[in-house]
Each structure stands twice: as C-alpha cells, then as structure tokens.
Amino acid sequence: MTDKKSTGSGDQQPQDQKFVAPMAYDPAKAALDAAAKAAHEATLQASSLVNQGSPSVANHLTPSATRGPARINKRKTTRRVTRNLQDPFVWYKSPATLILGVAAKWMAEDNAKARKVKKRRGDVLRIRFGRFENDPHIYLWVTDPKDNDGYDLELVKGQQVINFSDWAFEEDLAPPPGIKQKFDLMETNEPEFGGPVLCFNTEQARKTKTFDPSGGKADEDEDE
C-alpha cells in the first residue's frame, strides 16, 4: 500500500484551523442607519428654522383679546326633516276622528315635554281637548297616561288617530257624515288649559274631501 502524497508546496495545513471570512454587508441594517441619519438631520433643520423666527401654527389664530364670546352648538332636535315634509297638519274626519300627520305627531311629543308629561314607552298616549265659546278653534294637549278624561292616541294602519266623537257631538263640533277636512296645526299658550297647547281653526280648512261613511268604498290616505 502506497502513501498519498501531498499536493502543492509546503507542509500540509492542520485540520483544526478554519478560514475566517470578512464581515458581510447587511443591506437592511444600512437602510435603517441611513433613515435614522436623515431623521436626525431633519430635526436639526426644523429646530434651526424655529430659532430663526419661522411662524408657528399658533401665530395664525385670532388673538384672544379680540375674540368675542364663545358659541357652542346645541342640537334642538334629532329629527331629520325631509325636503318634501309639509307643514304640521291634521285631518278631521267624521264622525269625529283626528288623524295626525308626521310633523303633527312631533308637535304632540314637544307638547308633552313642555307640559312635563311623562310618556310610557316613549309614546304620547292620551290627549285632552278644549274649546272656548264663540271661538272656531279646537284645542288639544298631551295629558297624563292615567288621565281618565283623556283620549287615546292610537296607531291605526300606520297613522296616529284620536277618536273623540263623544265630546265632539256634545259640543256640536262633529263633521257631517262622509266629510273629512285638512287643517293646519298650530301651537299656542292658553292658561285656561294649563299652558302650551295645539289647535286648529275649524273655519279654515286647507282641503275638503268626501268619502263613503258606510265603509263600502276604500278610503283615501290622509297623509296628503
């Protein structure tokens, strides 16, 4: 058996000696170092501008000595009024049924708040009526849900309806059979009725229509 000969000149390199490469270039670290350097230079430049009298944001505000009293917004209502919303109105329909439009329902809610009437389930439930002799107005206001003299405000086919026919016939205020009229609903204050009230003038109808009181013919919508 022949021994292997070493190739190359000199003695053979020891087996435990390892080659140490130079430190490799790290692109990510170089990018971070460059970004940090740029941020530091920008900070120094901004500081230099401030020291030179550069205008700050506060210098653009109106001096407090020349400002008037502070005005802070206050939301009077959360209702969204649509473009085609009509003025508050009611339909007065024989025998003696009052049908409230959307805005009229809102007015009833405001009346409950003005008269400090607590509502159950957030709804106006009972209404009182009044009148003066030789006065064509019918007055109405929200009353306590437990008021035995109040009339229920009910939801019928999506409409707010009050049937007060017994009092209307007693006061000779009921419309003729088959007649319904549209009236503007207004707000006023009447101490005789305990404060803020709503009313409509029975001599100033905006519109008058007829219908079949027997119910044989489908009635028209009252939200016109």
Side-chain angles (χ1 to χ4, degrees), residues 92-168:
Y92 191 26
K93 178 179 178 181
S94 67
T97 301
L98 203 63
I99 304 171
L100 278 64
V102 175
K105 175 64 165 54
W106 291 350
M107 290 177 68
E109 293 174 352
D110 291 340
N111 183 254
K113 184 177 180 180
R115 297 178 70 98
K116 296 180 173 56
V117 176
K118 294 183 179 180
K119 300 177 291 182
R120 291 184 298 180
R121 301 187 300 275
D123 296 325
V124 175
L125 297 181
R126 296 184 74 79
I127 302 291
R128 287 289 298 271
F129 289 88
R131 64 168 298 195
F132 293 101
E133 293 185 8
N134 303 319
D135 183 350
H137 292 85
I138 294 179
Y139 299 86
L140 57 145
W141 59 93
V142 179
T143 187
D144 189 271
K146 297 180 181 180
D147 186 349
N148 293 329
D149 291 321
Y151 291 91
D152 290 332
L153 177 61
E154 300 177 318
L155 186 65
V156 180
K157 296 181 179 179
Q159 296 175 326
Q160 301 290 337
V161 177
I162 313 168
N163 186 338
F164 63 110
S165 57
D166 57 346
W167 183 78

Side-chain angles (χ1 to χ4, degrees), residues 41-116:
E41 292 177 352
T43 301
L44 293 177
Q45 184 177 4
S47 177
S48 176
L49 289 175
V50 171
N51 292 334
Q52 294 175 7
S54 176
S56 63
V57 176
N59 289 336
H60 293 289
L61 299 178
T62 304
S64 58
T66 62
R67 292 186 299 187
R71 299 175 61 87
I72 302 175
N73 80 290
K74 181 178 180 181
R75 299 185 64 177
K76 296 182 180 179
T77 178
T78 58
R79 300 172 186 137
R80 182 178 179 181
V81 180
T82 58
R83 181 178 300 177
N84 61 348
L85 184 63
Q86 302 182 38
D87 293 332
F89 66 88
V90 294
W91 280 95
Y92 191 26
K93 178 179 178 181
S94 67
T97 301
L98 203 63
I99 304 171
L100 278 64
V102 175
K105 175 64 165 54
W106 291 350
M107 290 177 68
E109 293 174 352
D110 291 340
N111 183 254
K113 184 177 180 180
R115 297 178 70 98
K116 296 180 173 56

Side-chain angles (χ1 to χ4, degrees), residues 22-31:
M23 182 176 294
Y25 174 74
D26 188 348
K29 185 176 184 303

